[in-house]
Amino acid sequence: MALTELVANVVQHVPGRRCTLLILRRPDGLRVEVSDEHPHCPRPVRPECRGDELDEGGRGLLLVEAVTDRWGTVPLPGGKTMWFECDV
């Protein structure tokens, strides 16, 4: 689910809809990175900050936060990498 959300962000927000996907298997779990060439680093929108609870957007990173052990964003020259980790 977390990977789907990060790729959906690329499809929805990144001109050209291009990204690089890296999946790393580690002894203690899994790390997934999705890199793109769009400089905007999204942040989760807390439910109390939303205008309408029926809005279709703005909850993807809250889902990523809920189903992973850690996640974050690394700004890069001309883009960013969104990542998450799941422990065994």
Side-chain angles (χ1 to χ4, degrees):
M1 174 185 277
L3 174 57
T4 303
E5 290 298 332
L6 295 187
V7 172
N9 281 344
V10 170
V11 170
Q12 186 173 9
H13 300 292
V14 175
R17 299 178 178 169
R18 294 180 56 114
C19 67
T20 302
L21 171 63
L22 178 63
I23 301 174
L24 300 167
R25 188 174 139 212
R26 302 173 137 188
D28 58 344
L30 185 73
R31 179 179 174 100
V32 175
E33 299 180 359
V34 178
S35 301
D36 63 57
E37 296 179 352
H38 192 271
H40 175 70
C41 293
R43 296 187 179 155
V45 178
R46 300 286 174 208
E48 62 270 13
C49 298
R50 298 283 308 159
D52 184 351
E53 64 185 30
L54 298 177
D55 285 347
E56 292 183 15
R59 294 181 184 85
L61 292 180
L62 290 176
L63 291 172
V64 171
E65 188 173 77
V67 300
T68 65
D69 293 296
R70 288 167 297 287
W71 74 275
T73 305
V74 178
L76 302 171
K80 67 183 168 303
T81 296
M82 300 287 297
W83 62 270
F84 66 84
E85 296 177 342
C86 296
D87 297 336
V88 175

